[in-house]
Amino acid sequence: MARPDKAAAVDELKQSFTNADAAVLTEYRGLTVGNLQELRRALGEDANYAVAKNTLTTIAAKEAGIEGLDEQLTGPTAIAFINGDIATVAKGLRDFAKANPLLVIKGGVMDGKVLNADEVKKLADLESREVLLAKLAGAMKAAPQQAVSLFAAPLAQAARALGALETKAQGDPSIIAGAGQAPAADQEAAEATSEAPAADAAEAAEAADNTDAAN
């Protein structure tokens, strides 16, 4: 590969590492072109799966601020750069590897941290982003605009938010216990609103009695 081509390839890999929500490194030795096409279809639009040269990937990872990836960059390497639901892609890779043992999950990167193979496989055991965020939104006493921002957050951010919520709930169980209940001020306002028609009716009846008495 000519030097300008190498520089362009390194820059592309660097941008992929920088922009991806996570990346999973695999060894594909022995898989056919058909197998790789099947895997790409299984991963869908949440991941870009491509073969990468180890030397160029090493340089790109370091330029992206990722250290400690060298041990995983041995043998033929293909990387799934994930921009979407990390758990879904991890499940897709795990299930494909079970059906096609020639695909080996070597490790990965998430939030700049290098993950080993077991840690990547644990991602596959997570609930999907939609389920996780639904539980998080249901457990938090949040304003509507906060709930909207949660559903737009990447899985990694939502997982950190859930962890923070659990930690806070240990010190203040009311954070969870009060979920789904309106704040006291809102309840008082609702009660006042429900009582207003009755008060209006009483006033109308009293006015009618006064009119009859005058006549």
Side-chain angles (χ1 to χ4, degrees):
M1 183 181 293
R3 187 177 297 274
D5 293 337
K6 288 182 179 180
V10 168
D11 186 64
E12 183 177 352
L13 285 167
K14 174 186 174 183
Q15 294 302 321
S16 294
F17 276 117
T18 301
N19 297 330
D21 295 324
V24 178
L25 280 68
T26 68
E27 181 174 325
Y28 63 95
R29 192 195 309 269
L31 292 176
T32 66
V33 173
N35 293 146
L36 294 177
Q37 290 176 342
E38 179 184 351
L39 175 55
R40 289 188 178 97
R41 287 194 295 269
L43 299 181
E45 297 181 355
D46 284 334
N48 176 31
Y49 186 76
V51 174
K53 289 185 176 295
N54 291 333
T55 53
L56 302 183
T57 302
T58 300
I59 297 171
K62 289 181 178 179
E63 290 187 0
I66 301 169
E67 299 290 343
L69 205 57
D70 300 27
E71 293 183 2
Q72 299 181 13
L73 293 172
T74 58
T77 301
I79 307 175
F81 289 105
I82 305 172
N83 289 285
D85 195 322
I86 297 174
T88 297
V89 175
K91 285 183 177 69
L93 289 166
R94 180 196 62 188
D95 294 346
F96 188 90
K98 286 181 179 179
N100 301 270
L102 292 176
L103 179 74
V104 179
I105 296 175
K106 298 195 288 187
V109 179
M110 186 171 71
D111 287 344
K113 177 187 175 183
V114 174
L115 309 176
N116 60 34
D118 289 337
E119 289 172 326
V120 170
K121 291 173 184 176
K122 286 179 181 179
L123 293 175
D125 295 328
L126 293 175
E127 293 176 317
S128 69
R129 170 176 157 174
E130 287 75 12
V131 173
L132 180 62
L133 292 180
K135 288 185 176 181
L136 180 59
M140 293 183 67
K141 294 183 289 186
Q145 61 270 25
Q146 291 174 312
V148 170
S149 65
L150 284 172
F151 278 91
L155 175 63
Q157 294 178 15
R160 287 194 296 271
L162 181 58
L165 174 65
E166 291 174 346
T167 300
K168 188 172 183 179
Q170 290 176 0
D172 182 7
S174 66
I175 294 297
I176 300 299
Q181 297 179 359
D186 292 344
Q187 290 181 347
E188 291 174 1
E191 291 172 358
T193 301
S194 63
E195 292 172 357
D200 292 344
E203 291 177 359
E206 183 179 351
D209 291 342
N210 292 338
T211 300
D212 292 341
N215 292 335

